[in-house]
Amino acid sequence: MFRLPAARRFLLFLVLSVNWLATRAADVPPKRELRGVWIATVENIDWPSSRGLTPEQQRREYRRMLDDHQRSGINAVFVQVRPASDAFYQSSLEPWSKWLTGQQGKAPTPFYDPLPFLIEEAHNRGMEFHAWFNPYRATMDTVTRRLAPNHPYRKHPEWFLRYSGKLLYNPGLPEVRNYISEVILDVVRRYDIDGVHFDDYFYPYPEAGQVIHDEDAFARFNPDGLKLADWRRQNVNTLIRDLHDTIQHTKRWVKFGISPFGVWRNQTSDPNGSATKAFQGYDGLYADALEWLRQGWVDYVLPQLYWSTGFKVAQYPVLVEWWARNSNGRHLYIGHGAYRMSESTKSDTVWRNPRELPRQVRLNRTFPTEVGGSVFFSSKSLMANVLHTTDSLRQHEFRYPALVPAMPWLDAVPPRPAQNLTVATAAAAATLTWQPGPAAADGDQAAYYALYRFNEDQTPTPDDPRNLLALIRPQPGRPLTFTDTTARAGRGYSYYLTAFDRLHNESRPISVRTTGRAAEVVVAQSAPPAPGTTPVTTSAPATPPPAAPPARPTPRPTTPRPTTTVSTPTKVKVKTKSKRRGGFFDRIFGRR
């Protein structure tokens, strides 16, 4: 009788188990789950779609993109603001990006600073904004005559390495690390971002016949006498360690996260590695993601697991389990290769199955305490709805909204509850108004509010996202109000309102309960009502306070958008490389 080898039997058991658990996990939607998308700007992959767009066209395009992702349940965007030592924001350190204006160093015309707009539009839709930086990539070619006069290469050519047709910053130079930190902290200080994000480009991916000529730096800046590979890893570690500390001292609510290559090391190289036979980020890119997690130098890690459940040398279930086991108490999100569904590759044909991507999301949920969410590369791939996969996410996996997970090591103090919550009912709607509570013990005010609604036959609890009606972000000069136009006449409801700070800690709820009368005003009780209690009501006609046009609920929670517009003059991920024949790593690991 045929008998599978022990290793194969274990793998089969693992796959069957996670499929069963994934099915069970899908029955209860998670209340907290990061659902993100990468928006790549290099080579105009995602936004803007071309270099010749006017600022108004850029803004329209970005709004449409976020609206589409909001319908898909996305609650975080990772926007590439520095693709190659250039800027998608006003900078005194680096030139305007050619992928924004068509020419490096040329400002938008008419002038505006895109970054405040990009951040505000994300926040208005209840999405976190992570500013994505490529720390070491300086150009996509070596034609230096096209570089802007203020490109750092003009002033410090000694900082750069030439490798595989590109200019790269030399990670072994202390002045390079200081400069990269200065660029990033400039953005942290001046803009209202939620996170700083790196992808997998540290030292360059190996290319046949190419050598990293960092011999001089190795001789000058190696006081510990390390071997070359260990020295290169130390250079990367030093940047990450120092940058994390500086970000936290600058703005304690700004997260720092990295999206490393999906395989740290194989078991054949290290007993702590994964059961894979793939390229290794530790050895090939000198990126020791396991050390970053052990030391707490990152707040989240987002490995790029761009392979399917059936890819033999790097199977998705094997890698999810390995990263879950090695997250060391930091947040773990999984990077999904949504772009793989539109490829014609023969190396990983499972991606042609429309169930593959939803299956990966469900599998993540079988590690509820270790895996905190999913991020998709890239925006246009998700919007293209290849194989109707995005439809599946909308109708099933992401049917209900999710809140961003909290990070207790950064902040564990919840904000104070809101005050003076009142609901005024009328024939067609119920209007809720409230005031912000006092500052919390750590000085934080509420950054946004969550409104839950329950039917009369439900036991109210703010733990089920299926009852989440809306997320409301305060707008300057506007009252805190929400109009529920989906409330049915003659039916009583309980409304729970909670406050959240910048790091998504949730306050105790305050609540009101209506009776179903045609017109009444109900004032919140000081604590959530016990089942069967009677709210304080008055039968006087409801007269809602004057307010800006109310937010209308949609199938998933939204934040009411302001009526004003911005008018002030105002990969693997990015795996896009210069065109060349596909090599071994391209064929095996799906790199672009």
Side-chain angles (χ1 to χ4, degrees):
M1 181 172 132
F2 174 75
R3 185 174 178 84
L4 285 172
R8 290 286 184 88
R9 292 200 304 273
F10 172 75
L11 182 57
L12 179 62
F13 171 77
L14 175 62
V15 172
L16 293 175
S17 298
V18 297
N19 282 338
W20 179 80
L21 289 170
T23 302
R24 293 292 304 274
D27 296 337
V28 181
K31 175 179 174 177
R32 290 186 183 263
E33 182 177 65
L34 186 123
R35 300 169 182 171
V37 64
W38 278 291
I39 299 177
T41 60
V42 65
E43 302 287 2
N44 301 104
I45 291 177
D46 290 314
W47 181 87
S49 60
S50 70
R51 306 180 190 185
L53 299 184
T54 66
E56 184 52 37
Q57 289 172 325
Q58 294 170 1
R59 289 190 285 263
R60 261 200 318 268
E61 200 171 72
Y62 184 74
R63 289 190 185 106
R64 284 197 300 266
M65 181 185 301
L66 292 196
D67 286 343
D68 189 274
H69 291 320
Q70 186 179 28
R71 289 191 291 271
S72 300
I74 296 300
N75 59 21
V77 290
F78 297 75
V79 182
Q80 194 175 31
V81 301
R82 184 190 187 253
S85 196
D86 53 359
F88 271 72
Y89 55 92
Q90 188 173 14
S91 172
S92 62
L93 300 172
E94 297 190 312
W96 287 100
S97 176
K98 66 180 179 182
W99 294 298
L100 179 71
T101 65
Q103 178 183 337
Q104 190 178 86
K106 178 184 176 183
T109 305
F111 181 83
Y112 84 120
D113 185 346
L115 192 47
F117 163 79
L118 300 175
I119 296 168
E120 183 179 19
E121 291 295 322
H123 285 171
N124 288 343
R125 291 165 178 79
M127 299 174 181
E128 279 197 330
F129 187 97
H130 293 245
W132 166 15
F133 298 83
N134 290 86
Y136 295 123
R137 185 168 61 203
T139 66
M140 296 295 285
D141 56 41
T142 55
V143 185
T144 58
R145 69 176 181 274
R146 289 203 292 258
L147 297 178
N150 63 330
H151 190 283
Y153 178 82
R154 300 290 193 190
K155 187 175 181 181
H156 295 287
E158 73 279 5
W159 286 359
F160 298 88
L161 303 168
R162 290 176 183 265
Y163 185 90
S164 189
K166 298 180 180 66
L167 288 178
L168 308 173
Y169 282 93
N170 186 345
L173 300 177
E175 54 265 42
V176 163
R177 295 194 294 269
N178 292 337
Y179 173 74
I180 291 171
S181 295
E182 182 183 5
V183 168
I184 293 168
L185 290 171
D186 174 58
V187 173
V188 172
R189 292 187 185 101
R190 294 194 293 125
Y191 297 97
D192 192 25
I193 64 174
D194 299 294
V196 168
H197 180 72
F198 283 0
D199 60 20
D200 55 327
Y201 286 117
F202 294 99
Y203 278 87
Y205 277 87
E207 298 286 350
Q210 297 289 314
V211 178
I212 302 172
H213 287 296
D214 55 356
E215 299 89 349
D216 180 67
F218 179 58
R220 292 167 55 204
F221 302 108
N222 186 15
D224 299 326
L226 298 175
K227 295 180 180 179
L228 179 62
D230 293 330
W231 174 77
R232 287 175 176 171
R233 276 186 288 272
Q234 184 186 68
N235 295 331
V236 175
N237 289 348
T238 300
L239 173 68
I240 291 169
R241 179 199 65 199
D242 294 349
L243 184 60
H244 179 262
D245 290 346
T246 310
I247 290 171
Q248 295 309 305
H249 283 97
T250 303
K251 283 184 180 176
R252 61 182 176 83
W253 60 87
V254 174
K255 307 168 182 180
F256 180 41
I258 298 177
S259 180
F261 185 76
V263 174
W264 174 72
R265 298 194 90 187
N266 302 313
Q267 280 183 354
T268 52
S269 300
D270 191 310
N272 294 320
S274 53
T276 51
K277 298 177 181 178
F279 176 80
Q280 305 171 117
Y282 177 93
D283 301 274
L285 305 175
Y286 308 99
D288 190 357
L290 206 56
E291 182 70 4
W292 310 335
L293 290 165
R294 287 168 177 158
Q295 299 294 339
W297 294 336
V298 292
D299 298 307
Y300 65 85
V301 67
L302 208 176
Q304 299 172 27
L305 306 191
Y306 292 173
W307 306 288
S308 75
T309 53
F311 191 55
K312 292 183 179 179
V313 301
Q315 290 179 307
Y316 184 86
V318 171
L319 284 165
V320 170
E321 189 277 334
W322 185 90
W323 283 99
R325 185 160 32 88
N326 288 282
S327 58
N328 281 280
R330 289 300 192 244
H331 280 191
L332 168 63
Y333 313 130
I334 303 298
H336 300 267
Y339 72 95
R340 301 295 306 278
M341 295 184 295
S342 58
E343 290 185 335
S344 58
T345 177
K346 296 180 181 179
S347 65
D348 196 356
T349 57
V350 178
W351 280 111
R352 299 173 190 171
N353 186 335
R355 293 177 293 181
E356 175 62 18
L357 194 62
R359 178 166 53 200
Q360 292 187 1
V361 172
R362 293 194 300 272
L363 192 150
N364 293 351
R365 293 175 178 172
T366 65
F367 300 91
T369 60
E370 295 91 1
V371 180
S374 298
V375 182
F376 303 93
F377 186 81
S378 67
S379 175
K380 71 177 182 181
S381 299
L382 208 59
M383 293 174 67
N385 195 18
V386 180
L387 304 177
H388 297 283
T389 295
T390 306
D391 288 339
S392 178
L393 294 176
R394 291 178 178 180
Q395 296 166 14
H396 302 289
E397 290 75 27
F398 295 168
R399 177 182 176 186
Y400 296 104
L403 301 170
V404 175
M407 290 184 172
W409 59 90
L410 294 180
D411 181 2
V413 180
R416 306 281 190 193
Q419 296 180 333
N420 303 321
L421 174 63
T422 301
V423 60
T425 65
T431 300
L432 296 99
T433 58
W434 64 94
Q435 282 80 46
D442 60 358
D444 286 354
Q445 296 279 358
Y448 64 97
Y449 299 87
L451 184 64
Y452 304 82
R453 188 184 71 187
F454 306 89
N455 297 327
E456 290 176 308
D457 59 349
Q458 290 180 290
T459 300
T461 171
D463 295 329
D464 192 332
R466 289 173 289 191
N467 295 109
L468 184 53
L469 183 63
L471 300 178
I472 303 99
R473 183 174 289 267
Q475 299 292 340
R478 300 179 66 184
L480 292 168
T481 182
F482 181 85
T483 298
D484 180 9
T485 59
T486 63
R488 297 178 61 178
R491 176 176 293 182
Y493 295 98
S494 292
Y495 293 94
Y496 271 33
L497 183 74
T498 60
F500 289 79
D501 59 21
R502 284 295 298 263
L503 283 162
H504 310 287
N505 294 298
E506 186 173 23
S507 75
R508 292 183 294 104
I510 58 172
S511 67
V512 291
R513 179 176 296 173
T514 64
T515 64
R517 298 175 186 173
E520 62 181 348
V521 175
V522 187
V523 180
Q525 302 186 15
S526 58
T533 58
T534 303
V536 180
T537 65
T538 173
S539 58
T543 307
R552 296 180 64 85
T554 63
R556 61 181 69 258
T558 64
T559 301
R561 292 176 57 180
T563 56
T564 57
T565 58
V566 177
S567 59
T568 307
T570 44
K571 351 135 215 0
V572 179
K573 184 184 48 306
V574 171
K575 290 296 186 223
T576 297
K577 300 177 181 291
S578 55
K579 292 184 179 179
R580 65 179 192 280
R581 290 179 298 174
F584 174 78
F585 294 113
D586 295 318
R587 295 195 304 273
I588 298 300
F589 303 111
R591 288 175 46 216
R592 297 191 295 168

